[in-house]
Amino acid sequence: MDSPTDFSAADLHEALRAQLATTAVHAFAAPAAWRSIEFISDLHLQPQLPLTWQSWRQYLQASTADAIFMLGDLFEAWVGDDALDEAGSFEAECAQTLRQASSQRALFFMHGNRDFLVGAQFAQSTGMQLLPDPSCIAFLGQRWLLSHGDALCVEDTEYQRFRAMARSPAWQQQILAQPLDQRRQLAGAMRNQSEARRMREVITADVDTQAALAWLHTAHAPTLIHGHTHRPASHPLDADHQRVVLTDWDTDLEPVRAEVLHMDAAGLQRIALNDYLARPPQPGAC
């Protein structure tokens, strides 16, 4: 199939749906000893939002789950794993926080549209496991499909053209070959462009129902859990399938936004972060 960048907007939508319908789904089973797992996404961690970073750190310390799944856009921007080598860098501080958390429970990371350059060096240094998008986990007798969600927003034509380019190994190699300072400047420019787009009230297209159902049928899963859209809700797709959207996090501004999606034998539960930190779910409580 031709590159998505070669299509008009209308053709691009149909081409993307066709590609997504044939996407391989990574499947794995949770260890039998696991009793609860949790999901977060779209924290957009950055030095300019210190309270959000501190909230994330407190959550990792407080969690009682057997595993935490971070489904993309954990960082506002990731300029390359070599940022870990920069003494006192924000990236190095985040890595230390994750390293401490991974000594207590399993951590999984899935790339988002802001941190797609996270690589094997970062995963190894933190003890996290990188997950392909999409992935399907079998847990407590049911299959759950996990995704960041950006690939499914097929009608966001401008973004999908960028995504096709940015996920290219050649493009990533070209970017990572630039000096670290230049990459930081580039990330800042891209962040400003994204903010300008938001200020123009360009609304990001939502997840495409047809594409989501195709993935769910391939995965033999009734529920898709994803982030990206910053529209937390549960949406029925048909009589047998649904998608559950994670919230973004921002505890630096009012109103505060931060939730944990907790899963155990009782099902799924959205928990506001303040409530979670006051009394996290206890193993065996359900």
Side-chain angles (χ1 to χ4, degrees):
M1 181 174 291
D2 295 332
S3 166
T5 57
D6 297 331
F7 290 90
S8 68
D11 288 340
L12 174 61
H13 301 161
E14 291 307 314
L16 285 170
R17 291 188 182 99
Q19 286 181 332
L20 291 168
T22 60
T23 297
V25 176
H26 171 71
F28 65 107
W34 285 7
R35 293 295 175 263
S36 67
I37 58 180
E38 292 172 349
F39 305 90
I40 58 175
S41 73
D42 298 276
L43 278 70
H44 296 269
L45 298 175
Q46 53 189 297
Q48 294 81 3
L49 298 178
L51 296 182
T52 303
W53 181 88
Q54 183 63 28
S55 296
W56 169 66
R57 184 170 179 270
Q58 290 173 340
Y59 160 67
L60 291 178
Q61 293 172 341
S63 177
T64 59
D66 294 296
I68 297 173
F69 291 78
M70 293 168 280
L71 300 184
D73 284 3
L74 177 62
F75 304 103
E76 172 66 8
W78 190 261
V79 296
D81 289 2
D82 56 339
L84 299 174
D85 301 327
E86 191 174 63
S89 69
F90 177 73
E91 292 85 354
E93 193 170 6
C94 289
Q96 181 180 5
T97 299
L98 287 165
R99 192 159 48 245
Q100 292 171 346
S102 68
S103 68
Q104 301 298 318
R105 58 191 45 81
L107 299 182
F108 294 85
F109 174 86
M110 182 177 285
H111 294 105
N113 53 294
R114 301 298 186 105
D115 46 22
F116 53 85
L117 289 177
V118 166
Q121 178 187 346
F122 182 69
Q124 183 177 5
S125 70
T126 59
M128 294 193 311
Q129 299 181 55
L130 298 181
L131 277 182
D133 188 353
S135 288
C136 182
I137 181 172
F139 179 59
L140 296 177
Q142 187 167 316
R143 294 168 65 86
W144 307 85
L145 184 62
L146 313 178
S147 174
H148 177 58
D150 59 324
L152 295 169
C153 296
V154 300
E155 294 189 1
D156 190 350
T157 305
E158 181 179 345
Y159 169 68
Q160 292 299 340
R161 292 186 188 280
F162 169 77
R163 189 180 192 277
M165 175 185 68
R167 298 305 176 101
S168 160
W171 184 89
Q172 293 188 8
Q173 184 177 8
Q174 181 181 7
I175 294 297
L176 292 173
Q178 298 180 17
L180 184 58
D181 287 345
Q182 290 186 18
R183 279 178 270 148
R184 291 197 188 280
Q185 292 175 10
L186 177 61
M190 293 173 66
R191 186 163 53 244
N192 291 338
Q193 290 176 359
S194 177
E195 180 65 13
R197 186 179 184 225
R198 186 188 68 81
M199 294 300 292
R200 293 198 309 268
E201 297 183 352
V202 177
I203 300 175
T204 303
D206 207 349
V207 162
D208 184 84
T209 296
Q210 178 181 333
L213 282 171
W215 274 9
L216 286 166
H217 286 303
T218 298
H220 303 289
T223 300
L224 166 66
I225 299 173
H226 71 86
H228 180 63
T229 64
H230 297 200
R231 300 169 183 173
S234 296
H235 303 276
L237 299 173
D238 62 18
D240 301 311
H241 300 87
Q242 66 170 338
R243 61 184 179 91
V244 177
V245 188
L246 304 171
T247 189
D248 61 316
W249 283 33
D250 188 341
T251 61
D252 284 79
L253 297 175
E254 295 289 345
V256 167
R257 297 189 309 279
E259 284 183 349
V260 177
L261 184 66
H262 180 84
M263 180 189 296
D264 59 21
L268 290 173
Q269 181 185 8
R270 293 182 185 274
I271 308 175
L273 181 63
N274 286 340
D275 295 337
Y276 189 104
L277 294 178
R279 188 174 185 275
Q282 299 301 308
C286 295

